[in-house]
Amino acid sequence: MAMARPVVAHLFFLLLLVSTAPAVRTTPDAGTLFEACNKTLFPKVCLQALKDNPECQAATPRRLAELSVYVTAEVGMTVTAFAHRELNGIKDAVLYRCLDTCSEDIEEAVAHLSSLTRDLTDAKFLEVKTWLAATLGGTSTCEDACKDAPVSDVKNACITKSFEFEKLLRVTLDLITEASGSMSAEVALPPAGSGASAVAGAPSSYGAAAPFGGYGGGPSAGAPAPSSGPAGASDADATA
């Protein structure tokens, strides 16, 4: 029993060291995710979108790009569902065209991202990278379509959600670019000197970023688009 005291004292000393040692940080800024997001144009947006998925904490650059594609596509479907739901109750033709144009642009982007989730090959990654690079930047077609629409909560929410989605697209592009160093495939690039429209299916452009907010609104899958606009919408288009 006399020998037990040094052993107990030694164990107590070890426990004291463990209890006072700095805890291992498990927050997103402790590892790969923080470092990867810091390389994107919108680090905070990147972290907010991916931090709740445990797999992102130590994912490879390629896997992180894949997960960002999934998240961005889901957010895009949520935003278009919001727009479609609001369209059903809109009577003003200009406001209708505003929401309809915004949702069409986002649906186009979601279609490209969804095609990648079904075919996670190097060629498809690089194809989506090329499309995003040609599409992002410049004047927002959503903002342009909404500039003459009457001021309303629906208009403001639609434009804000469109900008938020554009930020996620930019983050996804940056993560794909970071992962593409090890990818190899032949990708059809747009002709020299051509704009974003040279890439098949690309909308004119998404606009510059606006202050970040919540995504909100709508289910996780897109609602079917209305078959036609409100009375007078076609006349407004004809005179635009």
Side-chain angles (χ1 to χ4, degrees):
M1 293 298 294
M3 296 292 294
R5 290 185 178 179
V7 173
V8 172
H10 182 65
L11 290 174
F12 176 78
F13 180 68
L14 289 177
L15 289 173
L16 184 63
L17 285 177
V18 171
S19 64
T20 57
V24 176
R25 300 176 70 186
T26 57
T27 54
D29 61 351
T32 305
L33 178 59
F34 179 79
E35 296 168 359
C37 285
N38 261 354
K39 296 178 181 178
T40 69
L41 188 59
F42 302 107
K44 290 182 179 179
V45 176
C46 177
L47 282 172
Q48 181 172 337
L50 301 174
K51 65 182 175 62
D52 291 333
N53 186 340
E55 186 180 353
C56 292
Q57 302 301 331
T60 63
R62 185 190 183 100
R63 182 56 179 161
L64 204 57
E66 293 174 5
L67 294 171
S68 182
V69 167
Y70 284 115
V71 170
T72 305
E74 184 175 355
V75 170
M77 288 188 288
T78 300
V79 176
T80 56
F82 163 81
H84 291 157
R85 186 173 64 250
E86 295 297 333
L87 278 171
N88 293 326
I90 290 178
K91 304 302 181 182
D92 184 89
V94 180
L95 183 57
Y96 186 97
R97 186 167 63 249
C98 157
L99 266 66
D100 192 44
T101 300
C102 294
S103 64
E104 283 182 357
D105 284 351
I106 295 174
E107 285 169 354
E108 187 70 32
V110 169
H112 282 270
L113 297 175
S114 297
S115 68
L116 175 55
T117 64
R118 296 189 296 269
D119 181 22
L120 293 170
T121 60
D122 285 2
K124 197 65 180 179
F125 258 114
L126 295 175
E127 177 186 321
V128 171
K129 174 188 171 186
T130 300
W131 184 85
L132 286 172
T135 302
L136 292 169
T139 304
S140 168
T141 52
C142 176
E143 189 175 28
D144 280 350
C146 295
K147 64 183 180 181
D148 295 326
V151 176
S152 67
D153 291 340
V154 172
K155 170 186 173 178
N156 293 338
C158 186
I159 293 175
T160 299
K161 290 174 187 294
S162 176
F163 279 137
E164 291 166 0
F165 180 67
E166 185 261 339
K167 284 186 175 185
L168 280 174
L169 285 178
R170 181 69 211 197
V171 166
T172 298
L173 171 60
D174 291 343
L175 292 176
I176 291 176
T177 300
E178 183 67 19
S180 64
S182 60
M183 298 179 187
S184 60
E186 293 183 2
V187 181
L189 299 176
S194 63
S197 59
V199 181
S204 302
S205 176
Y206 285 92
F212 181 75
Y215 300 127
S220 60
S227 57
S228 62
S234 58
D235 294 337
D237 289 339
T239 59

